[in-house]
Amino acid sequence: MSGTLRWSRGGEHAGSIGYVADLEDQQPHLVLTYRRGSGASAEQVEQRIRLCRTRPHYGGFRWWMICPYRGVRAAKLYLPPHGDRFASRTAWRLGYHSQRIADHDRPFEALFRLQKRLGGPQGWEAGLPRRPKGMWNRTYARMWREYEALDGQCAVVMHGMLSRLAG
C-alpha cells in the first residue's frame, strides 16, 4: 500500500508526505518520505517506522506504529513544529489541552463544552441555547441545572479576579 497525502493553506500547496506500507514482510514497516525546511537548507527525509498488530476481541487485526525513539506502541505519531522526525506523544512530551488548563479556567471550559454540545454560542453569560428538537425535556432540564451551576462557578472566579485587580 502506498500513496501521497497533500494539504494546503489558504488555497496554496503547503506540504505533502509520501508513504509506503509493507504489511506482508516478516518485519512489517511504514516508510514516510517528506521534505523538511525550505530553500537551500531543505532536507529530504525518509523515515522507517516499524509496525506491529494485535487481534481485537471483535476480530480482525489492529495495526500499530512503534515509536522510533521510545519503542512503544502508538496509534498516532506526531511531528511538532520544532521537531525533525515523527515520534509518539510521550517522546515529544506533548500534553493534552486538558492538562494545560489552569484551575481557574476549568469552569469556563466546562461551560463552553456544554454550550457547544447544544449548538449555541460559546461564552460566559452567552446563555444556554433553546432545547434542540428531539431532545428530551428532562435532558435539557439537567443541562440547564448544570449550566446554572457552572455559570455560578464562573461568576465566583471572575469576582475573585476582579477583586485582585482592584485590590
Side-chain angles (χ1 to χ4, degrees):
M1 173 170 40
S2 64
T4 302
L5 299 173
R6 293 177 176 80
W7 58 94
S8 60
R9 185 178 312 141
E12 296 290 321
H13 174 76
S16 63
I17 185 167
Y19 64 91
V20 176
D22 186 352
L23 307 177
E24 303 299 325
D25 193 8
Q26 289 285 44
Q27 295 179 334
H29 61 276
L30 173 68
V31 177
L32 301 175
T33 308
Y34 55 97
R35 213 174 146 94
R36 199 175 147 271
S38 62
S41 64
E43 173 188 12
Q44 187 67 31
V45 178
E46 183 174 294
Q47 187 177 2
R48 183 183 170 111
I49 298 164
R50 290 184 314 143
L51 300 173
C52 73
R53 66 183 189 181
T54 57
R55 265 188 206 275
H57 296 293
Y58 49 82
F61 293 108
R62 166 99 159 75
W63 286 98
W64 301 87
M65 293 172 273
I66 305 299
C67 173
Y69 298 99
R70 299 286 294 235
V72 296
R73 203 169 60 185
K76 291 182 183 179
L77 296 180
Y78 299 86
L79 180 64
H82 63 278
D84 61 345
R85 301 292 186 269
F86 283 89
S88 66
R89 178 180 285 280
T90 53
W92 283 118
R93 296 183 177 155
L94 299 175
Y96 292 97
H97 175 71
S98 62
Q99 294 171 316
R100 295 188 304 269
I101 299 172
D103 286 339
H104 62 271
D105 287 336
R106 290 190 188 282
F108 293 97
E109 289 285 329
L111 183 76
F112 300 160
R113 268 193 316 274
L114 180 63
Q115 290 168 332
K116 186 176 181 180
R117 260 178 66 198
L118 290 169
Q122 295 175 35
W124 183 47
E125 296 194 338
L128 195 63
R130 294 181 340 159
R131 181 179 60 87
K133 184 178 180 181
M135 178 181 277
W136 290 82
N137 284 326
R138 66 177 176 248
T139 302
Y140 185 73
R142 178 181 48 80
M143 289 181 159
W144 182 255
R145 288 190 301 276
E146 188 179 342
Y147 171 81
E148 287 180 324
L150 289 168
D151 189 56
Q153 291 173 21
C154 292
V156 169
V157 169
M158 286 303 290
H159 178 72
M161 287 179 164
L162 292 173
S163 63
R164 279 193 297 275
L165 286 173

